[in-house]
Amino acid sequence: MEFKKVSILVPVYGVEKYIERCARSLFEQTYDNIEYIFVDDCTKDRSIEILQKVLEDYPNRKNQVKILHHEKNRGLSAARNTALDASTGDYLMHVDSDDYLRKDAVLLLAEKITTASSQVIIFGYSIVTAKKIYPVKLYPENKVSLIRDYLLNRKPASMWNKFYDADFYKSSGIRSVEGINQGEDYVVMPRILDKAEKIEWLNECLYYYEQSNAQSYSNNISEDSINSMKKADDILFEYFSKTQKISMDYLDVLHSRSALFLIKVGNKDCWNCVYKKYEEYVSDDVRLSLSDRLILFLFRNKLYSLLNLLIELYKKGN
């Protein structure tokens, strides 16, 4: 096969505990023609120093590595965009710097996207916790169903278990939204997949997703992160409202998800506001998980004590 260039885009912030494992998994890929773009988002720890030290062990990769630096901390989304703008590969993939890849991942993905002539490859991954590693099974489905699952948070709308044709990705006009660092994958992936005409699946666990990093964006809920999620919902509402062909396939799901999100992060004082804003849109025929249906039932019946208890259990389970 022709060995086209693959760009691997890696934002770096606060990952000194994980960056060596990540970098070694990237530099030891069995595929040769790789461009590595690391973006230092003004990390306060030794992440970049450790990365540079690891690179010394891979002299054949040195000329393939770019380490870019932000002048100030701008967040995960901005770091992704900086890496994207600097990339020159035919294909690209996002790797978070506390995660890591199977050593043959890029080779298998480059082969798959070339033979399938697709724009996006969705591939399997394993979740890494402090106690064990376990694979997540993929269930291939049509595009509309997949996007609805992402919007309802039934499946993680992750950017990192995807392999992209670079021309398609860049010409789509879809970019990470600077300032949205909680739910930034969620605001990108439904729109990217909506524009894709050909999506393929590779049911191999090629990516290892670290969930024990207490400093990661996904493990930190704050007022800023809640505002990020609200902004993400607004962007998706605007986008799908203008997509006439299948907009109603997604808008009812977005209303339901918005209501559920605000209920889960809110409190009794804000629930009446949530009820007035979203209750008329939350359709009973939307395919919700059992826990989400129970949350809505308690919310509608104002059983707030039980609702608080269920939400706490929900948070512990996620």
Side-chain angles (χ1 to χ4, degrees), residues 10-12 15-16 18-24 26-27 36-40 43 45-58 62 65-69 97:
V10 190
V12 179
V15 288
E16 65 179 15
Y18 305 98
I19 187 65
E20 178 174 353
R21 181 183 65 182
C22 175
R24 291 192 186 279
L26 302 184
F27 299 150
Y36 303 93
I37 304 177
F38 297 88
V39 178
D40 171 20
T43 186
D45 63 6
R46 296 177 55 247
S47 295
I48 299 300
E49 177 186 341
I50 293 170
L51 170 62
Q52 291 170 329
K53 185 176 180 181
V54 170
L55 183 56
E56 293 298 319
D57 293 337
Y58 303 91
K62 277 191 173 182
V65 175
K66 300 176 185 177
I67 301 177
L68 308 179
H69 303 273
S97 47

Side-chain angles (χ1 to χ4, degrees), residues 14 98 182 209-221:
D98 49 358
Q182 184 76 29
Y209 172 44
E210 176 64 59
Q211 284 205 317
S212 60
N213 181 8
Q215 302 304 313
S216 70
Y217 280 108
S218 60
N219 285 330
N220 286 279
I221 300 296

Side-chain angles (χ1 to χ4, degrees), residues 93-188:
M93 64 187 304
H94 297 278
V95 175
D96 288 349
S97 47
D98 49 358
D99 301 335
Y100 56 105
L101 290 180
R102 207 171 87 181
K103 291 183 181 181
D104 60 349
V106 176
L107 176 62
L108 293 176
L109 290 165
E111 289 177 344
K112 178 72 173 179
I113 202 168
T114 300
T115 57
S117 299
S118 51
Q119 294 163 316
V120 182
I121 303 289
I122 302 174
F123 55 92
Y125 63 96
S126 295
I127 292 176
V128 180
T129 68
K131 295 182 178 180
K132 64 177 181 178
I133 298 175
Y134 55 96
V136 177
K137 292 183 179 179
L138 285 184
Y139 297 97
E141 55 187 305
N142 66 65
K143 183 169 77 174
V144 173
S145 176
L146 178 62
I147 293 174
R148 284 172 64 88
D149 280 347
Y150 282 167
L151 295 177
L152 271 174
N153 203 29
R154 291 176 59 86
K155 294 179 180 177
S158 52
M159 296 170 68
W160 41 255
N161 74 319
K162 315 290 189 301
F163 193 77
Y164 311 88
D165 178 271
D167 285 341
F168 158 72
Y169 193 109
K170 293 178 178 180
S171 65
S172 74
I174 306 298
R175 295 167 60 85
S176 297
V177 181
E178 187 164 352
I180 294 183
N181 298 306
Q182 184 76 29
E184 69 99 15
D185 290 21
Y186 161 74
V187 77
V188 170

Side-chain angles (χ1 to χ4, degrees), residues 118-280:
S118 51
Q119 294 163 316
V120 182
I121 303 289
I122 302 174
F123 55 92
Y125 63 96
S126 295
I127 292 176
V128 180
T129 68
K131 295 182 178 180
K132 64 177 181 178
I133 298 175
Y134 55 96
V136 177
K137 292 183 179 179
L138 285 184
Y139 297 97
E141 55 187 305
N142 66 65
K143 183 169 77 174
V144 173
S145 176
L146 178 62
I147 293 174
R148 284 172 64 88
D149 280 347
Y150 282 167
L151 295 177
L152 271 174
N153 203 29
R154 291 176 59 86
K155 294 179 180 177
S158 52
M159 296 170 68
W160 41 255
N161 74 319
K162 315 290 189 301
F163 193 77
Y164 311 88
D165 178 271
D167 285 341
F168 158 72
Y169 193 109
K170 293 178 178 180
S171 65
S172 74
I174 306 298
R175 295 167 60 85
S176 297
V177 181
E178 187 164 352
I180 294 183
N181 298 306
Q182 184 76 29
E184 69 99 15
D185 290 21
Y186 161 74
V187 77
V188 170
M189 284 316 307
R191 295 183 294 154
I192 283 279
L193 293 183
D194 179 58
K195 288 182 175 289
E197 294 181 359
K198 189 171 184 183
I199 301 168
E200 295 288 339
W201 300 74
L202 181 60
N203 203 2
E204 294 264 1
C205 291
L206 304 178
Y207 191 100
Y208 293 88
Y209 172 44
E210 176 64 59
Q211 284 205 317
S212 60
N213 181 8
Q215 302 304 313
S216 70
Y217 280 108
S218 60
N219 285 330
N220 286 279
I221 300 296
S222 64
E223 185 175 351
D224 285 343
S225 63
I226 291 171
N227 289 334
S228 286
M229 290 300 296
K230 290 178 180 177
K231 185 177 180 181
D233 277 339
D234 289 342
I235 291 170
L236 289 169
F237 270 116
E238 181 179 5
Y239 175 83
F240 285 115
S241 294
K242 294 178 180 178
T243 307
Q244 298 298 322
K245 54 181 179 177
I246 46 176
S247 61
M248 290 312 298
D249 285 324
Y250 303 133
L251 291 179
D252 62 334
V253 172
L254 277 166
H255 283 302
S256 296
R257 187 190 184 283
S258 296
L260 287 164
F261 175 73
L262 291 176
I263 292 167
K264 289 170 183 174
V265 301
N267 54 50
K268 185 176 179 179
D269 292 335
C270 81
W271 284 339
N272 286 333
C273 173
V274 177
Y275 187 91
K276 291 175 182 177
K277 184 173 182 181
Y278 289 108
E279 176 65 9
E280 65 181 289

